[in-house]
Amino acid sequence: MDTIDYYQIMSIGVYGSAIGLILIGLYAVLMKKHLTKIVIGLSIIDAGINLLFIAIGYISNGTAPIYSSQGIDLVKTGTPMVDPVPQALVLTAIVIGFGVTAVALSLVIRLYRHHNTARIDQIKSLKW
Amino acid sequence: MKKLLIILLLAVVGYFLTVSMSNIKFGANRMGDLSQPKTVGAFYLSKTPGELSVANVITAIVVNYRGFDTLGEVSVLFLAATGLGSILYKKKKKGEHIPTVNKPSSALLQAGSKLIFPAILVLGAYVFIHGHLTPGGGFQGGAIIATGFLLMMMSYKDFTMNHSVITWVESLAGITFASIGLIGLIVDHSFLENFLPIGYINDLISGGIIPLIYVAVGFKVAAELSGVLDTLLSIKEK
């Protein structure tokens, strides 16, 4: 234990916060009674999964996968770039997450208009 | 009791996530040698400058290698915007205008947002025009433009978006994307094939069809997000 392993600490921090976000979102979805809070929980799960993806694609000392005019020569000598595939997937996932949140919120608004409450324990009748 | 069960469930989920992630070392180089690519990421990284001469590898993946995926993604966004409109639809009286904010905002905010609004639009356009050279792209630039419209809607009570203009911009951008793909199908026998000359890397006009598609995506996303914000903000109270 002469040197502190920097990447060990980083991995605990990054993976830990991503998993923590997923668990917090799951808790909000399962425990909260207010529908808006449930939708917020869904978007927190989204954020956690995106962070986990980006963390898996990271390479130590890697740069962003964007070539500059010097960068093309650098790649031939072996300077690492981070994995571009998770980043492209996360770009897609963010957009889809936006669509999911927007449609879920509009359904919440419709429920509120109909029942005058957005708490699921106060919505008794299943009739629309 | 219920709370206990849920905490137990969360503990199980957290335990298995942690166990599976502990096998993946953070920051380990899983890409291997770029001259003999073995993983998909290394393949994209090594092929992009030669095949497409696009500086931003993520743009190359999103628009060219997985361009069909992006067409589907854009249609999901369109579906979300349309679904929002149809779920929240309420008939308006003719000429009725629903204010987006209840109270008029202060003169300082109004003057400031009028000043900053063109700058936001220019920044958004910059981000999606340079999507193949710098970080950013059509989705990001479109989101920036939508924030500009959100600022105007929040600070001006009477700011209205012309919905027919939004629909036209959205449809034209979508048609442009699809027809560029179809031209590729006709010219090079493959949908979304890059049929234009690729030019030199780091030039503004490089990468063939990639900048054209990203500009179309930028317009489409900007129109859709502004439409969604306008729909959500002008909800009629009953």
Side-chain angles (χ1 to χ4, degrees):
Chain A
M1 288 294 275
D2 44 345
T3 52
I4 303 163
D5 192 351
Y6 174 69
Y7 283 102
Q8 193 83 43
I9 298 167
M10 278 295 284
S11 80
I12 292 169
V14 175
Y15 286 155
S17 47
I19 293 170
L21 278 176
I22 294 173
L23 293 182
I24 289 169
L26 208 56
Y27 178 81
V29 169
L30 291 173
M31 277 301 286
K32 292 295 170 185
K33 295 285 192 291
H34 201 280
L35 278 167
T36 316
K37 288 178 184 172
I38 293 176
V39 175
I40 292 172
L42 280 176
S43 19
I44 293 174
I45 296 179
D46 243 22
I49 293 172
N50 291 344
L51 187 60
L52 199 64
F53 263 50
I54 294 291
I56 290 171
Y58 181 71
I59 287 172
S60 52
N61 297 320
T63 56
I66 297 170
Y67 288 102
S68 56
S69 42
Q70 300 91 14
I72 299 165
D73 303 326
L74 281 176
V75 162
K76 285 169 190 158
T77 59
T79 306
M81 279 182 173
V82 299
D83 197 345
V85 179
Q87 302 205 358
L89 287 178
V90 164
L91 180 59
T92 311
I94 290 172
V95 176
I96 304 299
F98 164 78
V100 169
T101 313
V103 173
L105 279 177
S106 70
L107 286 174
V108 171
I109 292 168
R110 265 312 274 275
L111 265 177
Y112 179 77
R113 269 187 198 157
H114 195 263
H115 293 280
N116 266 327
T117 176
R119 290 179 62 90
I120 42 175
D121 52 347
Q122 286 172 9
I123 297 174
K124 291 285 200 299
S125 63
L126 283 173
K127 261 187 269 177
W128 183 254
Chain B
M1 186 59 204
K2 190 192 161 203
K3 200 168 187 171
L4 207 71
L5 267 176
I6 286 169
I7 288 172
L8 200 71
L9 177 75
L10 288 183
V12 170
V13 171
Y15 173 74
F16 280 106
L17 273 175
T18 316
V19 166
S20 53
M21 292 320 290
S22 64
N23 294 324
I24 301 172
K25 196 167 171 290
F26 180 71
N29 196 340
R30 282 179 287 273
M31 305 273 283
D33 193 9
L34 281 192
S35 50
Q36 288 144 353
K38 289 204 173 59
T39 60
V40 185
F43 179 83
Y44 287 148
L45 272 182
S46 59
K47 296 288 179 195
T48 299
E51 278 186 356
L52 300 172
S53 73
V54 166
N56 191 341
V57 181
I58 296 161
T59 300
I61 294 173
V62 166
V63 181
N64 204 274
Y65 291 116
R66 294 178 175 272
F68 196 55
D69 221 16
T70 304
L71 188 60
E73 181 186 351
V74 168
S75 27
V76 167
L77 200 59
F78 170 72
L79 215 64
T82 320
L84 194 84
S86 63
I87 290 170
L88 292 177
Y89 178 74
K90 264 200 168 176
K91 210 170 186 179
K92 275 189 204 171
K93 287 181 195 117
K94 206 168 188 190
E96 188 189 10
H97 171 62
I98 300 157
T100 50
V101 277
N102 291 329
K103 281 183 188 168
S105 45
S106 68
L108 192 64
L109 180 62
Q110 292 194 347
S113 46
K114 209 174 220 169
L115 196 69
I116 209 172
F117 177 60
I120 294 177
L121 292 194
V122 170
L123 175 68
Y126 172 82
V127 167
F128 68 67
I129 289 171
H130 287 77
H132 57 302
L133 303 175
T134 53
F139 295 101
Q140 296 91 325
I144 290 172
I145 290 178
T147 57
F149 280 109
L150 177 64
L151 185 68
M152 290 304 274
M153 278 184 249
M154 298 296 271
S155 46
Y156 286 91
K157 214 175 163 183
D158 299 326
F159 186 79
T160 44
M161 310 258 302
N162 194 338
H163 272 274
S164 59
V165 171
I166 289 181
T167 316
W168 270 100
V169 169
E170 201 180 321
S171 321
L172 279 179
I175 290 168
T176 311
F177 194 163
S179 46
I180 286 173
L182 283 177
I183 293 170
L185 183 65
I186 294 163
V187 175
D188 270 343
H189 311 293
S190 168
F191 191 67
L192 282 169
E193 182 69 45
N194 205 335
F195 59 89
L196 289 176
I198 58 169
Y200 295 103
I201 197 164
N202 276 321
D203 278 0
L204 180 59
I205 299 171
S206 66
I209 61 169
I210 290 176
L212 295 177
I213 288 181
Y214 242 10
V215 168
V217 168
F219 273 106
K220 196 167 163 58
V221 171
E224 269 159 8
L225 294 197
S226 315
V228 165
L229 290 173
D230 190 47
T231 318
L232 279 177
L233 276 176
S234 56
I235 291 168
K236 204 166 140 187
E237 299 292 332
K238 57 174 172 180

